[in-house]
Amino acid sequence: MSKTILLTGAAGFIGFHTLQKLLSHGYRVVGLDSINNYYDVELKYGRLAETGIPRERISYGTSVSSDKHASCLFVKLCLEDREKILSLFDQHRFDVVCHLAAQAGVRYSIENPFAYIDSNIVGFMNILEACRRHKPDHLVYASSSSVYGLNELMPFATHHTTDHPVSLYGASKKTNELMAHSYSHLYSIASTGLRFFTVYGPWGRPDMALFHFTRAILEGRPIDVYGNGKMKRDFTYCGDIVEGLLRVIDSPPTGNPAWNGRQPDPSSSRAPYKIYNIGNNNPVALMDFIEALEHVLGKKAIKNMLPMQPGDVPMTWADTADLEQDFGYAPKTPIQEGIARFVSWYKRFYDL
């Protein structure tokens, strides 16, 4: 029998692509999302409609069946709603919990810090407690490259310490990893954290660089280029992220018997706990990224060069050796191809 998976953040960018892939692989999926207004909810409803879940049938706390996939349900629910989260776990026997829902955004965490405590800390606590009660085979959750903070060792490796985040968003993701470890240790909940690196692609978030740049360039408006264009990011195509995620789902960690408390490896434990980077392992200069976008659009950007913003770091670069060794993970989408796919989707979605 196929496994039943709870997928939180199902109306989000990565969650949407993960949902499509899980369904195509024959899993039964219960998708959950609060559909908050952090960015345009029409985009979120558009993603759900692609999965056969029409907007008019969605109401808070009520499961909706997909018109396209008999094995898919969706429920609008806030992670902070403890009783309803526990009730959802009572109703379904989840074999796997894939927790992608979170309040995203580095700069927004400086403006609205309590949104991150509510969703990323309290919400994650509710997921952990539900897992403690019902013991799924595997909890897979989204972490972030933001946990590396002030670390300047390149590439970023999961064996590095991550004790100096520079945004509350990064701190909340680091907190998730620590919370997951304590529950793995205390209750033998097999958990895997995936540190995502600058994900981009079709159906992306409007607050992220590619979406913002594309819209501004097409409308003839200037784009804000932070760090005076000198930043580098390990841009990773959404399809490559989801491919790695699916490889991990069916392989819960069992604990590392060689783990040594006197020389502790942050990426593993004697408990059934594991952390992986999931990125492209190929940092790209922001100006090269913009140039590739200009080439696809056939239009030059008007650039407004600005200094680094609070919470930003000059470079990210994922060491994905562990994920490659354990799961054969190898991202394969060149930046030019990924940008072209995004632009093609953008023009279709906005009827340009």
Side-chain angles (χ1 to χ4, degrees):
M1 294 179 64
S2 62
K3 293 184 177 182
T4 300
I5 295 182
L6 171 64
L7 174 66
T8 71
F13 169 36
I14 301 173
F16 162 75
H17 288 286
T18 302
L19 178 57
Q20 306 304 308
K21 199 74 170 179
L22 288 171
L23 293 171
S24 72
H25 280 238
Y27 292 100
R28 295 191 299 269
V29 185
V30 177
L32 178 154
D33 203 290
S34 67
I35 318 181
N36 67 23
N37 62 359
Y38 168 61
Y39 61 82
D40 184 10
V41 297
E42 297 302 323
L43 182 56
K44 299 179 182 183
Y45 282 118
R47 294 172 184 140
L48 291 173
E50 284 288 302
T51 315
I53 301 164
R55 178 175 186 163
E56 58 272 13
R57 296 219 319 266
I58 297 172
S59 62
Y60 189 81
T62 302
S63 295
V64 179
S65 299
S66 167
D67 293 333
K68 295 181 179 179
H69 304 277
S71 58
C72 179
L73 295 175
F74 175 80
V75 58
K76 181 180 179 180
L77 207 57
C78 292
L79 293 173
E80 306 95 292
D81 194 335
R82 183 187 308 170
E83 295 307 316
K84 282 191 166 54
I85 291 291
L86 292 174
S87 176
L88 186 69
F89 274 75
D90 289 339
Q91 294 170 36
H92 303 274
R93 194 202 180 295
F94 296 121
D95 299 292
V96 175
V97 175
C98 185
H99 180 56
L100 304 184
Q103 178 57 60
V106 168
R107 295 185 188 115
Y108 188 71
S109 70
I110 296 171
E111 303 166 20
N112 295 276
F114 286 102
Y116 292 77
I117 301 302
D118 293 340
S119 179
N120 298 7
I121 307 300
V122 175
F124 191 60
M125 180 65 193
N126 291 338
I127 292 294
L128 286 174
E129 269 296 290
C131 288
R132 179 179 69 85
R133 292 192 188 190
H134 292 276
K135 292 291 177 65
D137 297 332
H138 197 185
L139 166 64
V140 181
Y141 61 95
S143 187
S144 168
S145 62
S146 294
V147 302
Y148 288 104
L150 293 177
N151 178 28
E152 295 181 0
L153 292 172
M154 294 290 167
F156 291 155
T158 55
H159 311 291
H160 296 165
T161 59
T162 52
D163 294 334
H164 300 89
V166 294
S167 69
L168 187 64
Y169 171 67
S172 73
K173 288 299 186 178
K174 167 72 171 179
T175 303
N176 287 170
E177 294 178 3
L178 297 174
M179 294 166 71
H181 181 267
S182 66
Y183 270 62
S184 294
H185 172 74
L186 290 170
Y187 309 115
S188 298
I189 296 170
S191 68
T192 301
L194 298 174
R195 292 174 178 168
F196 296 152
F197 278 69
T198 317
V199 189
Y200 75 99
W203 296 97
R205 294 194 341 244
D207 63 317
M208 297 189 75
L210 180 57
F211 203 114
H212 171 72
F213 288 168
T214 299
R215 174 174 285 172
I217 293 170
L218 288 174
E219 293 175 358
R221 294 185 289 105
I223 63 172
D224 291 337
V225 182
Y226 294 107
N228 292 306
K230 296 179 181 178
M231 292 194 298
K232 290 185 176 182
R233 289 291 180 268
D234 201 345
F235 293 102
T236 312
Y237 186 68
C238 55
D240 292 331
I241 289 283
V242 174
E243 176 63 31
L245 196 157
L246 257 72
R247 294 188 184 203
V248 168
I249 275 179
D250 287 332
S251 298
T254 56
N256 178 7
W259 191 86
N260 183 349
R262 296 188 178 186
Q263 294 179 312
D265 172 14
S267 73
S268 67
S269 172
R270 282 190 289 263
Y273 168 89
K274 186 65 180 170
I275 298 289
Y276 292 103
N277 286 334
I278 182 165
N280 202 39
N281 192 23
N282 182 28
V284 174
L286 182 57
M287 294 303 291
D288 292 340
F289 187 78
I290 293 170
E291 185 178 324
L293 176 59
E294 290 173 327
H295 178 75
V296 172
L297 292 175
K299 189 174 182 180
K300 284 289 185 180
I302 305 167
K303 303 175 186 71
N304 181 27
M305 309 302 283
L306 295 170
M308 292 272 287
Q309 296 294 288
D312 275 349
V313 295
M315 181 177 179
T316 63
W317 180 3
D319 180 341
T320 57
D322 288 351
L323 200 60
E324 182 178 352
Q325 176 180 306
D326 293 351
F327 296 100
Y329 171 77
K332 57 188 177 183
T333 308
I335 200 81
Q336 296 83 0
E337 182 180 334
I339 289 175
R341 290 180 187 175
F342 171 82
V343 170
S344 178
W345 165 81
Y346 183 94
K347 289 181 175 180
R348 286 198 311 273
F349 186 77
Y350 289 103
D351 196 25
L352 300 179

